[in-house]
Amino acid sequence: MAETVRLIDTTLRDGQQSLWAMNMRTGWMLPALERLDEAGYEAMEFFVPVVQIKKMIRDLEEDPFEWLRRGTARAKSTPLRLHAGYRSGLGKVPESVSKLMVQKVIDCGITTARISDPWNDFETLREEHDEMRRMGIESVVNLIYSVSPRHTTEYFIQRTKDAAALKPYRLCFKDVGGLLTPRRIRELLPKVLEAAGDVPVEFHNHCNNGLGVYNVQEAVDLGIRHVHSAVPPLSDGSSQPSVLDIARNLQALGYDVPLDEAPVRVVAQYLTQIAQREGLAIGQPRAYDETLYAHQIPGGMISNLEYQLAKVGMGGRMDLIREEAAKVRAELGYPIMVTPLSQFVGTQAAVNVITGERYKQVTDETIQFALGLWGREALEHMDENARDRILDRPRAREIAAMEVPQPSLEEVRKSVSADLTDEELIIRAYVDDAAVPFVRGLPPVKEEPVGRSPLVALVAGLAAQSAQHEVSVETGDMSIRLSKA
C-alpha cells in the first residue's frame, strides 16, 4: 500500500511574504482561500499578526481583523494555522497584548500555531509553548536549519532532542534560507528524525538555491510525511516549492498524495492574473547560487527589503547589501537568518552601506542584540571588537539602563485615554494611536471573484484604478462595460 504524504499550504502566508512582500489584499485572499479549502490540504498557514497587522494597515489600508474574521469563517474543511506565538516580533509589544492577540485567533477557531525561538533555544521557548497549550492552541515547533561554523550535525541532533522534550504537537524542520542540498539532507535528516523520537516532523523549505523541489523528494524518501508547499505564482523563487510539482513528482514515485488539483489550478490562474495586472512577482525556478551561503537572507525578507529600498530610490544597491550582510552576520556570531534576527542583520547591513562607514550608525535593535536582549547566545558568540563598536555610544548606555515594562492588560487599558475594543487595543500596540481611527474609517472589503475571464478581469482592474465612472472594452462582437456604483 502506498505511503501517504500530506500537504500543508503556505500560499496566503509565506508564499505572499516571500514573493509579494505581504501585499496581498483581503479581497484577493478570501476567494483564494475558499477554493484552496476544497483541495484536501492537511492544513493552511493563514495569519502572521506580527508582520501582517502593521503591513495591512499602513501599506494596504485594510483592517487585518477583517481578514481574521472573514477568512476563518470561509474555511469549512481545512484547519487554519497561526504563524508565531506571543513572544515573536520585531518590537516590544507588551506580552499581555500579544497574548490577547493569540486569544482573538483562538476565539476564531484556530487551534494550531507554528512557533520558533530564533536561536533554536528550546529551553527559552518552553514557557511560551506551555502557556499557549494552556490557552488552547497546540504548537508545531520549528527546528531552523542554518549554515555556519557552529551549526554542525551535532548541534542539530542536540537541538532536536531539546525541541522534542517539549512534547509539542509536531516539529518542523525548517530551511528558511533555502540552503539545504540533497547531500546535506541525506546526511542530517535521518539523525533529526531519530532524535525527534515519536514526535512527527514536518518539512518546510524555500527554493532560493534552486534545489527546493528535489529536496522535498529526498526528505520524503527519508521518512518525512508532512510537506509545506505553495500555489503558483507564489511558489518557487524565494518561496516554497510548487504544490503541483511536489504532487506530480511524489505520485510518480508511488506515494499517495491526497490533493484535488482542480481548485488549486483555479487559484493559480486567479493569482497569476492578479500578479500580471498589479505588477507583482511570478515565482520562477532559480539556478543554483553559491553566494547565497554567504549572506543567507531568507526568502520572506528579500522581497520586503527590495521593496523598501526601491521606495527610497536605492534598489540598485542590493548586491552591496548582500555582501555586507555576510560580514555583519559573522561579526554578530552567526545568528540564524530568521525573523527577527535576519531583520537586524539585514537592516544594519543596509545602514552600513548607506552611510558608507561600518557601524557609524546602528539601530536600537542592533544595540539590543549586542546587549543580549534578543537571546543569550549573542553574548557567547559575537565578535568582541564589533560588540565594542556597537556599544561604545551614548544611545547604547541609555538602552542598557532601560527597563522594559510588562504591564498587565488592565494596566495597558488604564493607560489608554479612550474606550477601545480588544481589536483596537491590539492595533494601537502593534502600530500606533493614529491607526485606531484610521481603521475605523476604512471602507468594507471588496472581493475580486475567482473565475473571471482574463478580459473581464482586465476591465475590472481598469475600473478599480480609473477615476472615470465607467470603463468599457469592445473586441469583435463582444462588448463589456463596468460602472462604479
Side-chain angles (χ1 to χ4, degrees), residues 126-411:
R126 176 181 293 280
E127 182 178 341
E128 184 177 11
H129 169 270
D130 292 352
E131 176 64 8
M132 289 183 70
R133 175 169 283 168
R134 188 197 64 76
M135 293 173 71
I137 192 163
E138 289 293 330
S139 296
V140 180
V141 172
N142 286 320
L143 174 71
I144 310 167
Y145 180 71
S146 187
V147 175
S148 85
R150 67 189 191 85
H151 291 102
T152 62
T153 297
E154 291 70 29
Y155 165 95
F156 286 109
I157 292 172
Q158 184 56 54
R159 298 300 169 113
T160 305
K161 291 178 180 176
D162 295 343
L166 301 179
K167 300 296 181 188
Y169 164 62
R170 284 180 182 169
L171 298 181
C172 180
F173 189 42
K174 172 178 175 174
D175 180 16
V176 66
L179 303 170
L180 280 166
T181 62
R183 182 171 64 182
R184 183 61 171 143
I185 290 175
R186 288 192 289 271
E187 174 191 29
L188 181 58
L189 187 57
K191 295 171 182 172
V192 166
L193 293 175
E194 182 181 359
D198 60 0
V199 181
V201 180
E202 299 181 0
F203 186 68
H204 175 103
N205 67 333
H206 288 252
C207 299
N208 304 43
N209 67 356
L211 301 171
V213 175
Y214 188 71
N215 284 343
V216 169
Q217 286 177 231
E218 287 288 330
V220 169
D221 278 342
L222 292 165
I224 289 288
R225 292 294 177 267
H226 310 277
V227 174
H228 293 215
S229 63
V231 175
L234 291 169
S235 60
D236 298 302
S238 58
S239 180
Q240 279 75 68
S242 162
V243 64
L244 299 173
D245 291 339
I246 289 175
R248 182 190 64 241
N249 292 344
L250 294 182
Q251 287 164 354
L253 290 169
Y255 291 99
D256 170 41
V257 183
L259 180 76
D260 183 352
E261 291 193 11
V264 171
R265 292 187 183 278
V266 169
V267 171
Q269 182 180 20
Y270 172 71
L271 295 178
T272 299
Q273 285 178 0
I274 290 173
Q276 291 169 337
R277 186 190 69 214
E278 302 289 334
L280 296 167
I282 294 177
Q284 301 289 341
R286 289 183 171 179
Y288 180 80
D289 179 3
E290 185 64 34
T291 65
L292 170 68
Y293 293 84
H295 61 78
Q296 298 186 27
I297 297 175
M301 179 178 169
I302 284 178
S303 66
N304 279 284
L305 187 54
E306 290 175 338
Y307 177 77
Q308 295 297 334
L309 288 171
K311 280 180 70 174
V312 296
M314 303 195 72
R317 309 190 78 174
M318 195 62 208
D319 286 344
L320 286 175
I321 291 170
R322 285 191 179 96
E323 291 177 15
E324 179 63 15
K327 296 176 186 174
V328 171
R329 181 179 181 243
E331 289 163 345
L332 296 189
Y334 296 106
I336 299 172
M337 292 295 280
V338 67
T339 300
L341 307 183
S342 57
Q343 277 79 4
F344 300 164
V345 171
T347 303
Q348 188 57 53
V351 171
N352 289 353
V353 169
I354 291 168
T355 61
E357 184 177 341
R358 307 189 72 235
Y359 302 114
K360 178 182 179 181
Q361 295 179 24
V362 298
T363 66
D364 282 1
E365 287 77 14
T366 299
I367 293 171
Q368 292 164 354
F369 180 99
L371 290 169
L373 301 180
W374 289 94
R376 58 189 178 183
E377 289 191 28
L379 303 180
E380 300 168 11
H381 300 287
M382 270 192 78
D383 177 89
E384 285 300 321
N385 289 329
R387 187 165 187 267
D388 289 345
R389 291 186 68 183
I390 292 167
L391 296 183
D392 185 20
R393 64 193 72 216
R395 180 60 179 162
R397 288 183 278 280
E398 286 178 23
I399 292 175
M402 288 179 183
E403 291 186 9
V404 179
Q406 282 298 348
S408 68
L409 202 53
E410 281 196 358
E411 289 170 331

Side-chain angles (χ1 to χ4, degrees), residues 84-123:
Y86 61 81
R87 284 184 176 163
S88 307
L90 305 178
K92 291 293 184 182
V93 174
E95 198 167 287
S96 57
V97 178
S98 296
K99 283 186 179 179
L100 179 64
M101 178 68 248
V102 172
Q103 191 60 56
K104 299 300 291 183
V105 170
I106 295 170
D107 292 345
C108 286
I110 293 178
T111 58
T112 307
R114 189 155 64 90
I115 66 172
S116 307
D117 176 272
W119 296 93
N120 285 332
D121 182 345
F122 298 108
E123 190 52 43

Side-chain angles (χ1 to χ4, degrees), residues 28-39:
W28 307 340
M29 291 193 286
L30 287 169
L33 182 147
E34 203 163 32
R35 295 301 180 97
L36 292 175
D37 186 43
E38 302 167 355

Side-chain angles (χ1 to χ4, degrees), residues 11-60:
T11 308
L12 304 181
R13 206 283 298 172
D14 208 359
Q16 68 138 329
Q17 189 169 354
S18 295
L19 291 172
W20 287 4
M22 298 299 286
N23 280 308
M24 190 182 277
R25 295 191 169 280
T26 302
W28 307 340
M29 291 193 286
L30 287 169
L33 182 147
E34 203 163 32
R35 295 301 180 97
L36 292 175
D37 186 43
E38 302 167 355
Y41 285 104
E42 183 179 37
M44 281 194 280
E45 296 208 335
F46 170 74
F47 193 40
V48 52
V50 71
V51 176
Q52 220 158 1
I53 290 177
K54 187 179 289 186
K55 176 72 184 184
M56 293 185 78
I57 293 172
R58 285 194 170 166
D59 287 359
L60 303 181

Side-chain angles (χ1 to χ4, degrees), residues 456-475:
V456 173
L458 172 63
V459 175
L462 290 172
Q465 296 173 18
S466 173
Q468 303 300 315
H469 182 71
E470 287 187 356
V471 173
S472 62
V473 172
E474 291 186 16
T475 173

